[in-house]
Amino acid sequence: MKFTVADLLDQLPPTGTLEIKKLEKILKLTTKADRQSLEFALQGLTRLGVVSKDESGEVSRGEDESLIEARLRCSSKGFCFALRDDGGDDIYIRDHQLNHAWNGDRVLVRVTREGGRRRSPEGGVQCILQRSTTSLLGHVERQEDNLLALPLDDRILATLQLSEKDAKYLNDDEQSSVVEVKIDRYPIAQFPAEAHVARPLPLNGGPSGDRDLLLTKANLQERPLPPRSALKSPNTKQRLDLTSQPVLLLRSWQVSDAPALPGVYVEPHAGGTRLWIHSPAVAERIGVGNNLDLWLRERSEALCLGEVWHPLLSPAVSKSASFQVDEATEAVTVCLDLTADGELIDWQFSLSTIRPVAEIQPKALEALAARKPKARTIPAALKSLKDHLEQLKTLIFCAKSLHLGEQKNGSIELDLPVPNLESLADLRWVTPDSNRHQWSLPLNEEDPQSILSPMLRIANRAWAEHIKLLKLPGLIIEPGLLEASTLNDVAKAAIAIDLPLELDEEGSPSASELSIAFSKTSCRRVLEQQLSNALPDPILKLANIDNEEEQHVEELDTEKSCSTSLTSQAPWCCPTLHYIDLVNQQILVTLLNDGKTRPNVRHKEKVDLGQRQCWEKITWPLFSASQNESLQNHCNGNLIQRLNTRRRQVQDLRHDLIAMVQARAAESKVGQTLEGIISGVQSYGFFVEISPSMIEGLVHVSSLNDDWYEYRSRQNRLVGRKNRKVYQLGDAVSIKLIKVDVLRNQIDLEINGTISNDQNDLKDNNTDEATNSSSDQSVSIDEV
């Protein structure tokens, strides 16, 4: 079909009805077969109660409130949960209740069994709104008389029927038989899924071959060319001329086609600093809702693949909007007044023209850090910047102040950088806008983008507050709700390795308090890794939406969940990286260009709509009815779903790319004995992280053939019944690298050295008292 159920439902108004002919026109259904498909879909959805159809043939949304919209998440073990969009409890879905839904699909779920204090509610999939998998990686195998494609992703619990013409891709060697499989028909009733092989993919095709594999795995291998569309010219009226301002470009990325980033300028002001951030004026060059805008919406994100970039913007837009040294270019600007402690006290948004004077690269910051304070000579790396050194020092001071201010306000800092592997190239540097996590990295004064990062966060906070005060539409990112029980588990893992923490009746310390405590221990990295896994992803949502669902999210049981101290952000500074930023910049530009600055033409005094306090004077609508409707339609639930899906795809791609580079680095070490730190303990074994590449492998419990080991979950350790050996989170161990599966990012290890007997005895004595009350699991070699 040309449409999904999600596409159909997105076109129906929240209240009222819609004619079928109008629905056909919106969905661009022109042939008789397409219209018949719509009729079949409406019949099925009507029976489920998803839609209603009156006697005149008009369609409306159904009134069945028991149907819950969610996204399906499955594990390799076969456990599936529906993650609710409204922030409610995850719903456990048994395999016979999946109704052919796959991992990542958007679904409608009906709860069949209410949850308890320690049990998730159970339910069943009633309708698949949108499929997330259109192609996948797999192996071709013959089972009896059937030719099948077996998904490489073991979270997809299905096989796909192939035709005999794909028999040429059969190969006895599994390591050379990976193919891209395109799905022709999803499973329905008793009929299996049907597919065809699109192409074979080599496993040893070098870095470019690895990138192709991972793009295909993430469903991002197809990047359509941009449509032909004329660019708009930025408005030249009432534009601030800031070409005399010595703007600096902070840039760590080395790949030539990496996206452009904002320029910055800072000066001392009233005991604090005045910070100017200039964002590339992308929104002024793109019409809202035109073909180019829709193409960018589909792409959603710029992709960093280490040594290669897949940009978000078309070459024409990127060339016209990017900043170049000594070239005058239009910008969207915010001026921020900050205290010496990094507190935001005032702001003003405007359109401007700037002329950057220099680009700051990592080598310059390294030379600045190594230079003695009273040195008279200037290193070679700084000679081209000798006129801007004082401003550069002020920028670093400003970044430090903002960073300390964030920490005072409860931000979470985790020292978990990307491994410093040369082949990761641009992935090694700090991403300037850290919106994909609820934590930030420590400030690195030798990384320009690390210095830029807190400045962009404060600018995003200012715009979030501005749209809130003016009640404008937009996209905001808020901290996700953190399960208190999950945080307690992290605290207990720290206590188990003798970190001095105390749990009171109200529970564990906050996430920020834990991060501070972890930073002072030798086991910092493994504990911070546990904390990062416990923190939920930030939530992307519509700004200024006041409805029952939002109230429901805010009123969740505080015993079950808690929020971090992070504040809301409305990203707008990096439209070259994310479509989220572009949408918010479009609204900002519309406000400055088209917003009504006075109630009527007879009123002489105008209001500066970019100033912080302007909302106090405004008593009239800022936009005409048509403009307001256009902005509201631009920011809708469908856009949120699309951007969330693409963000998850990009995050998975980034994670898989780093893991594959690490696995490639580990291939040459097979058979070697290495030193590592236990980074996780489970009933089936323990994970070991090996420096400096930070590769992580598994020592399976079946390889511990010297004893029968018990898993003590509360102490996060495995303990031998006879020899009392202990394998615990944070322990240093000597291991042997046995096998590397690059495609699945799996590294098998064997223990080569153990902890000293005295240390084991001490650990065992400390935990014997807790053994009777712990939730232990015995694991033997025979059981595995």
Side-chain angles (χ1 to χ4, degrees):
M1 291 193 299
K2 289 186 176 181
F3 62 92
T4 66
V5 176
D7 294 332
L8 190 158
L9 295 179
D10 286 338
Q11 307 309 321
L12 299 181
T15 59
T17 60
L18 182 68
E19 294 181 5
I20 291 182
K21 289 186 177 180
K22 288 185 177 180
L23 184 58
E24 292 173 349
K25 186 176 181 181
I26 293 172
L27 297 175
K28 298 180 181 180
L29 306 180
T30 56
T31 66
K32 182 178 179 180
D34 292 339
R35 291 193 291 269
Q36 192 173 38
S37 296
L38 176 62
E39 182 62 30
F40 289 153
L42 290 175
Q43 288 179 8
L45 294 173
T46 301
R47 293 178 181 177
L48 290 172
V50 178
V51 301
S52 299
K53 190 175 178 182
D54 60 22
E55 296 179 356
S56 62
E58 295 190 348
V59 184
S60 62
R61 291 179 177 270
E63 299 180 356
D64 190 347
E65 297 181 355
S66 65
L67 292 175
I68 300 169
E69 189 167 337
R71 178 176 59 88
L72 201 63
R73 183 184 66 190
C74 299
S75 71
S76 58
K77 304 297 182 181
F79 300 106
C80 295
F81 287 88
L83 279 59
R84 298 174 59 161
D85 291 342
D86 59 7
D89 291 336
D90 296 346
I91 303 169
Y92 176 58
I93 311 292
R94 297 184 183 274
D95 54 357
H96 67 278
Q97 294 279 18
L98 286 172
N99 291 327
H100 296 308
W102 291 351
N103 179 60
D105 290 348
R106 283 178 62 191
V107 294
L108 287 178
V109 176
R110 179 175 281 118
V111 174
T112 58
R113 181 177 179 181
E114 295 297 332
R117 186 174 181 82
R118 295 187 177 182
R119 188 186 69 226
S120 299
E122 294 185 19
V125 174
Q126 303 298 303
C127 178
I128 299 173
L129 297 176
Q130 189 172 36
R131 292 284 189 176
S132 68
T133 304
T134 57
S135 67
L136 49 83
L137 294 177
H139 296 294
V140 178
E141 291 189 9
R142 187 177 295 280
Q143 295 182 2
E144 298 178 351
D145 295 331
N146 296 318
L147 190 66
L148 303 175
L150 277 61
L152 197 66
D153 187 347
D154 49 13
R155 296 172 300 174
I156 297 178
L157 311 175
T159 57
L160 297 91
Q161 185 77 45
L162 300 175
S163 64
E164 282 300 319
K165 66 180 181 180
D166 291 326
K168 58 185 178 183
Y169 298 106
L170 277 169
N171 198 315
D172 294 333
D173 182 8
E174 184 179 291
Q175 293 300 311
S176 62
S177 60
V178 178
V179 294
E180 179 188 356
V181 181
K182 292 275 190 179
I183 299 169
D184 300 321
R185 187 191 72 189
Y186 293 97
I188 183 171
Q190 72 272 26
F191 301 103
E194 292 182 353
H196 69 277
V197 175
R199 55 176 176 149
L201 292 167
L203 289 181
N204 297 302
S208 61
D210 288 348
R211 287 192 291 268
D212 195 12
L213 274 169
L214 295 177
L215 285 168
T216 305
K217 180 182 177 182
N219 252 334
L220 295 171
Q221 72 277 24
E222 296 180 356
R223 305 281 281 181
L225 295 175
R228 293 183 178 179
S229 180
L231 301 183
K232 296 171 60 180
S233 298
N235 182 15
T236 57
K237 296 180 180 180
Q238 299 179 346
R239 202 172 201 102
L240 290 179
D241 185 358
L242 300 177
T243 52
S244 61
Q245 193 181 83
V247 175
L248 298 180
L249 304 178
L250 302 180
R251 183 182 180 89
S252 307
W253 291 326
Q254 304 297 307
V255 178
S256 59
D257 59 349
L261 293 174
V264 292
Y265 171 73
V266 66
E267 59 187 4
H269 176 75
T273 53
R274 174 165 284 177
L275 174 65
W276 301 73
I277 296 177
H278 308 288
S279 173
V282 177
E284 292 188 88
R285 293 172 164 84
I286 299 172
V288 176
N290 66 9
N291 288 337
L292 182 56
D293 185 40
L294 295 177
W295 177 78
L296 291 170
R297 178 183 296 198
E298 184 63 31
R299 291 168 76 88
S300 299
E301 301 276 344
L303 304 180
C304 179
L305 304 177
E307 299 172 340
V308 175
W309 276 87
H310 285 194
L312 168 65
L313 303 179
S314 67
V317 178
S318 181
K319 183 179 179 180
S320 63
S322 298
F323 298 143
Q324 301 295 333
V325 174
D326 293 331
E327 290 185 11
T329 314
E330 295 83 0
V332 183
T333 295
V334 63
C335 177
L336 305 168
D337 287 345
L338 308 168
T339 67
D341 296 328
E343 180 184 352
L344 177 63
I345 55 178
D346 198 9
W347 65 74
Q348 181 169 3
F349 293 93
S350 60
L351 303 178
S352 67
T353 303
I354 66 168
R355 189 190 302 273
V357 295
E359 183 174 276
I360 309 301
Q361 293 279 344
K363 289 184 179 179
L365 292 182
E366 291 171 9
L368 184 63
R371 187 188 183 206
K372 295 180 180 180
K374 296 183 180 181
R376 294 183 179 182
T377 59
I378 298 177
L382 293 175
K383 285 186 176 180
S384 62
L385 303 172
K386 63 180 181 179
D387 296 334
H388 312 295
L389 290 182
E390 290 305 315
Q391 192 205 157
L392 188 53
K393 292 177 182 177
T394 309
L395 272 174
I396 296 173
F397 168 79
C398 181
K400 286 181 178 178
S401 300
L402 290 171
H403 188 72
L404 290 174
E406 289 176 338
Q407 288 184 306
K408 289 180 181 178
N409 291 327
S411 69
I412 304 168
E413 179 180 289
L414 304 178
D415 191 11
L416 297 173
V418 174
N420 190 21
L421 296 173
E422 187 176 352
S423 54
L424 286 175
D426 278 358
L427 282 171
R428 294 177 297 170
W429 303 105
V430 168
T431 304
D433 57 333
S434 51
N435 294 322
R436 62 168 58 93
H437 301 301
Q438 290 196 177
W439 52 271
S440 60
L441 289 164
L443 187 68
N444 181 1
E445 295 182 31
E446 298 181 5
D447 181 349
Q449 290 173 189
S450 180
I451 295 173
L452 181 62
S453 188
M455 300 178 186
L456 298 188
R457 288 197 291 269
I458 196 72
N460 292 339
R461 279 179 50 202
W463 180 240
E465 186 66 20
H466 204 69
I467 61 177
K468 178 181 178 182
L469 294 173
L470 294 181
K471 299 182 179 179
L472 297 172
L475 305 179
I476 61 174
I477 294 178
E478 289 190 344
L481 294 174
L482 177 62
E483 290 286 337
S485 59
T486 304
L487 202 60
N488 285 338
D489 291 340
V490 176
K492 290 174 182 176
I495 292 173
I497 58 175
D498 301 327
L499 192 68
L501 287 176
E502 293 184 1
L503 297 179
D504 53 29
E505 294 180 355
E506 297 180 357
S508 68
S510 67
S512 60
E513 291 171 335
L514 286 177
S515 68
I516 294 172
F518 294 169
S519 66
K520 301 174 183 178
T521 176
S522 59
C523 296
R524 176 177 184 176
R525 181 173 174 84
V526 293
L527 289 173
E528 288 186 338
Q529 193 69 57
Q530 298 278 323
L531 181 56
S532 70
N533 294 334
L535 294 173
D537 291 334
I539 299 171
L540 175 63
K541 56 186 287 190
L542 298 175
N544 296 311
I545 299 296
D546 185 18
N547 56 34
E548 293 181 359
E549 288 186 358
E550 296 297 326
Q551 293 175 10
H552 170 72
V553 173
E554 294 175 0
E555 296 171 3
L556 285 174
D557 189 348
T558 55
E559 292 183 1
K560 293 183 179 180
S561 59
C562 57
S563 177
T564 63
S565 300
L566 300 179
T567 54
S568 300
Q569 296 188 45
W572 66 276
C573 298
C574 296
T576 58
L577 290 174
H578 313 289
Y579 188 75
I580 298 172
D581 294 62
L582 178 56
V583 171
N584 282 327
Q585 194 183 94
Q586 286 171 332
I587 295 166
L588 170 53
V589 168
T590 303
L591 174 69
L592 298 178
N593 279 329
D594 303 326
K596 294 182 180 180
T597 58
R598 51 185 175 173
N600 52 64
V601 294
R602 295 187 298 273
H603 201 281
K604 295 183 179 181
E605 184 180 355
K606 293 184 179 181
V607 176
D608 187 342
L609 299 180
Q611 285 186 342
R612 176 177 184 173
Q613 302 298 333
C614 69
W615 65 277
E616 297 176 345
K617 304 175 183 179
I618 296 173
T619 57
W620 58 89
L622 289 173
F623 303 109
S624 65
S626 60
Q627 288 175 330
N628 191 60
E629 183 180 1
S630 176
L631 290 176
Q632 295 289 349
N633 290 337
H634 192 46
C635 300
N636 54 41
N638 186 27
L639 175 62
I640 294 290
Q641 294 288 351
R642 183 182 297 275
L643 294 180
N644 275 332
T645 298
R646 187 51 54 91
R647 287 181 77 197
R648 285 191 292 269
Q649 286 177 307
V650 172
Q651 283 181 256
D652 290 344
L653 173 65
R654 177 185 173 90
H655 175 270
D656 289 344
L657 181 58
I658 293 172
M660 179 168 276
V661 170
Q662 289 176 300
R664 290 294 189 194
E667 282 183 313
S668 61
K669 294 179 171 36
V670 171
Q672 295 183 17
T673 298
L674 306 167
E675 301 297 320
I677 302 293
I678 295 180
S679 57
V681 183
Q682 298 293 335
S683 60
Y684 50 83
F686 55 86
F687 294 91
V688 178
E689 188 177 73
I690 305 167
S691 298
S693 62
M694 300 304 174
I695 59 174
E696 191 175 55
L698 174 67
V699 176
H700 200 273
V701 72
S702 60
S703 67
L704 303 175
N705 52 16
D706 60 336
D707 202 351
W708 182 313
Y709 282 85
E710 293 179 343
Y711 173 52
R712 300 184 180 177
S713 59
R714 293 191 180 182
Q715 289 84 39
N716 239 347
R717 62 185 60 174
L718 288 172
V719 180
R721 280 192 174 183
K722 296 179 181 179
N723 60 23
R724 315 307 292 172
K725 283 184 181 178
V726 176
Y727 296 104
Q728 175 179 276
L729 188 72
D731 283 345
V733 291
S734 177
I735 52 87
K736 185 177 180 180
L737 204 157
I738 302 301
K739 180 183 177 183
V740 176
D741 187 334
V742 174
L743 201 56
R744 292 184 173 86
N745 298 324
Q746 293 177 356
I747 298 174
D748 295 337
L749 309 172
E750 281 185 359
I751 197 70
N752 192 62
T754 59
I755 312 166
S756 65
N757 291 331
D758 293 341
Q759 192 174 356
N760 272 286
D761 293 341
L762 178 62
K763 290 181 181 179
D764 192 56
N765 292 334
N766 290 337
T767 57
D768 276 344
E769 296 180 359
T771 303
N772 293 332
S773 60
S774 65
S775 302
D776 296 346
Q777 299 179 28
S778 298
V779 181
S780 68
I781 298 172
D782 293 337
E783 289 175 344
V784 178

